[in-house]
Amino acid sequence: MKTPVIALVLILVLPSILIAQSLDQDLPLGDLDRALANLRGLERNLSPMDRGLVEPLEFVADQLILEGRYEQAHRALDRAIQIVRISEGLFTPSQFPYQEKKILNIVNAGNWDDARAQLDHLFWLYTKKATFVTPELMAGLVAMSDIHLRGVSEDLQAHQAFHLRNGSRANWLALAVAEALWGAENPMLVPIIYNTLNNLYLEKVATDRSGLTSRNLREVAVGNTIRTRAVEYMDVVYYQMGSRLLNQIKGIYSVQEPVNLEAVAMAQLYIADWDALFRQGENALATYKAAFNSLTEVVQDEAAINAFFDRPKLLPEPQFYPSLKLALQESTSPLGHANLGEIDVSDKIVFSEWSSNFPFVRTPVSMPTRVNSDTGFAIFSFSIGGAPEIARLLRRSKRASIGVAENLKFVESTETANALASKLSPKVQSLRFRPRLVDGVPQMSDPTLIYIPASAF
């Protein structure tokens, strides 16, 4: 019976020995020194399985991560997790934060193969072994969704569907947990609802484009066979699910005491945007008008309303703004792109691709903003039509779209981007915009767009 005990002690102690040995050769002064000294002092006085070693091990791991020593940090976190399991049980929720940090460390090291396996395991722990609904569980699911977002842009493209699907799954579950914690009518739900909507839109964008990611997202198991649903079918599914989420936001603000009429009107505006994104022109026209009328009734500031609707807006909005003031502050905030030089961006739309793996959308708000310093940029002018006219509709075989770039012209660019401006044009035409509105009706406008690709040409 002694052999298993000896083996267990070696499993717990050996990582600490390896960490110390690997750092003794080149030990920087500062927090890492103190963290290691504190850990060694505790190890002399505590058993290898003592719960009191967990937090010091985590602090050591944090310092190692800051130093970029991911493998050593992994060993420290893994040892902390093993101690928690031995102290509290194999599936204890206390290990969840350490598991999440271990996955982030693996991701930072660029080892997405291990990260995907660990993400699956952690989701299994969340859904099968967590006993109670807690704020920590909700936060962990949101964090998991963010890691999957990183995977969309950083992992191999062959795994994009895995990250998109599982990121959405984590968000939907986080929303269900939040509703159980706070009730279905709490405004604190709104950011989670809108994150869920944005993930849904990422799936829609990926599905619309041909390739492996689109096929994988459209596959469904029916009995023993795999069927691939049509893009048109998925478009309807995404539209209906997104409409339901936005109406949920509208409903939340509608039942407050007193009713938050401005937030309700803003929700109507977002519903119109969603209709425009999915080419639901008739719905979009009616809802834009209703939203505009509601805002003018609630917000007694004609100048602010005109300023907000006077320029087209890139869709979808990165987050939900429950007031016109918040939305205006965001739209006028400085963008700070390092490579735009002296160009005045105050009267221009700036679109910066998220990543070379997924260039069709801007960076999600939960992801760190990437500084485009070497990629160059291109400047385009184009027109965005107003409310469709009958004569125009008759000339088209397809439904007229609201907020689509037309009559695209290349204005100027950096020298690098100039040679491939033609390759950027289809990407610009795939973007969608909230049109300029006058009295709630879309009007013709001629905006200028600065397009910043994710990677240098």
Side-chain angles (χ1 to χ4, degrees):
M1 296 297 294
K2 292 183 178 180
T3 302
V5 174
I6 294 172
L8 180 60
V9 171
L10 287 174
I11 289 171
L12 292 168
V13 176
L14 188 57
S16 182
I17 297 172
L18 291 173
I19 294 168
Q21 287 178 344
S22 62
L23 294 170
D24 280 340
Q25 300 295 324
D26 183 23
L27 188 63
L29 298 175
D31 289 340
L32 183 55
D33 279 16
R34 290 189 289 272
L36 284 166
N38 180 52
L39 177 62
R40 289 167 180 156
L42 289 170
E43 287 176 330
R44 286 192 290 269
N45 299 310
L46 300 175
S47 72
M49 295 175 288
D50 196 287
R51 185 64 171 78
L53 294 175
V54 173
E55 283 73 22
L57 279 166
E58 182 187 18
F59 188 69
V60 167
D62 289 340
Q63 302 311 309
L64 289 167
I65 290 170
L66 291 175
E67 297 271 341
R69 304 185 184 191
Y70 303 121
E71 184 177 347
Q72 296 150 3
H74 179 86
R75 290 199 290 265
L77 289 169
D78 201 52
R79 184 184 174 200
I81 291 169
Q82 297 304 325
I83 293 174
V84 171
R85 286 174 169 174
I86 289 170
S87 300
E88 302 178 23
L90 188 59
F91 306 118
T92 174
S94 299
Q95 69 180 293
F96 294 170
Y98 304 108
Q99 292 279 10
E100 179 190 321
K101 185 170 288 189
K102 185 171 78 168
I103 293 171
L104 283 170
N105 182 61
I106 294 170
V107 167
N108 289 333
N111 185 356
W112 278 102
D113 288 339
D114 282 355
R116 289 192 302 276
Q118 292 291 332
L119 283 165
D120 277 343
H121 175 65
L122 183 55
F123 189 81
W124 178 81
L125 288 173
Y126 283 156
T127 55
K128 302 299 183 183
K129 298 301 177 182
T131 306
F132 300 106
V133 169
T134 64
E136 291 77 17
L137 176 61
M138 181 197 66
L141 288 163
V142 171
M144 174 175 283
S145 178
D146 288 343
I147 296 173
H148 278 298
L149 278 183
R150 283 189 62 178
V152 172
S153 65
E154 297 177 20
D155 200 357
L156 296 175
Q157 289 190 7
H159 303 295
Q160 276 187 349
F162 168 86
H163 290 295
L164 287 166
R165 186 181 291 114
N166 286 288
S168 286
R169 181 175 64 166
N171 250 327
W172 282 107
L173 186 55
L175 178 56
V177 172
E179 288 175 344
L181 286 170
W182 301 327
E185 299 174 351
N186 195 314
M188 290 192 296
L189 295 173
V190 172
I192 301 176
I193 295 172
Y194 201 73
N195 281 345
T196 306
L197 181 86
N198 276 334
N199 277 31
L200 201 65
Y201 182 71
L202 294 180
E203 287 192 61
K204 179 260 194 302
V205 170
T207 301
D208 282 347
R209 283 157 177 78
S210 60
L212 181 62
T213 301
S214 175
R215 291 197 302 273
N216 287 344
L217 286 172
R218 291 185 287 119
E219 285 182 348
V220 60
V222 180
N224 295 324
T225 62
I226 300 294
R227 294 183 182 176
T228 303
R229 295 166 292 190
V231 173
E232 294 77 12
Y233 171 82
M234 294 304 301
D235 211 48
V236 172
V237 171
Y238 293 136
Y239 171 70
Q240 291 177 343
M241 293 172 71
S243 297
R244 190 181 74 191
L245 288 169
L246 288 168
N247 276 290
Q248 184 178 357
I249 292 175
K250 181 181 175 183
I252 286 172
Y253 289 115
S254 299
V255 297
Q256 302 305 302
E257 293 291 343
V259 176
N260 190 336
L261 293 175
E262 186 174 1
V264 171
M266 292 298 292
Q268 283 183 295
L269 179 64
Y270 280 67
I271 291 170
D273 289 341
W274 193 252
D275 287 335
L277 281 168
F278 284 83
R279 300 188 176 186
Q280 301 295 316
E282 187 175 342
N283 289 346
L285 289 173
T287 311
Y288 274 134
K289 181 67 174 176
F292 184 91
N293 291 342
S294 297
L295 278 172
T296 54
E297 290 178 8
V298 177
V299 181
Q300 303 299 318
D301 188 344
E302 185 176 347
I305 292 174
N306 290 335
F308 182 70
F309 288 111
D310 191 53
R311 293 174 53 195
K313 184 77 173 178
L314 188 65
L315 296 178
E317 289 271 23
Q319 57 194 81
F320 182 81
Y321 304 107
S323 72
L324 196 65
K325 181 179 179 180
L326 288 174
L328 272 170
Q329 287 175 349
E330 179 62 25
S331 64
T332 57
S333 62
L335 295 167
H337 290 289
N339 67 330
L340 296 182
E342 300 299 321
I343 294 178
D344 180 14
V345 300
S346 61
D347 60 343
K348 297 175 179 65
I349 301 171
V350 179
F351 174 74
S352 181
E353 291 180 344
W354 178 13
S355 77
S356 55
N357 266 7
F358 207 89
F360 322 109
V361 297
R362 56 187 163 190
T363 305
V365 291
S366 58
M367 298 291 99
T369 301
R370 178 180 47 80
V371 177
N372 298 279
S373 57
D374 302 312
T375 60
F377 59 90
I379 302 179
F380 296 89
S381 67
F382 53 93
S383 60
I384 295 177
E389 300 172 354
I390 295 297
R392 195 178 184 195
L393 289 173
L394 293 175
R395 291 197 300 269
R396 295 188 172 193
S397 59
K398 296 182 179 180
R399 287 179 293 174
S401 298
I402 294 175
V404 177
E406 299 177 336
N407 305 318
L408 191 66
K409 295 179 182 178
F410 181 60
V411 178
E412 59 179 299
S413 71
T414 62
E415 182 178 350
T416 308
N418 189 44
L420 292 178
S422 60
K423 291 190 176 182
L424 288 179
S425 297
K427 293 186 177 183
V428 175
Q429 290 173 320
S430 73
L431 301 177
R432 295 293 179 267
F433 304 87
R434 178 190 300 151
R436 174 174 172 260
L437 298 177
V438 175
D439 294 331
V441 180
Q443 304 293 317
M444 176 72 74
S445 59
D446 298 296
T448 301
L449 173 78
I450 300 176
Y451 194 106
I452 306 174
S455 57
F457 293 116

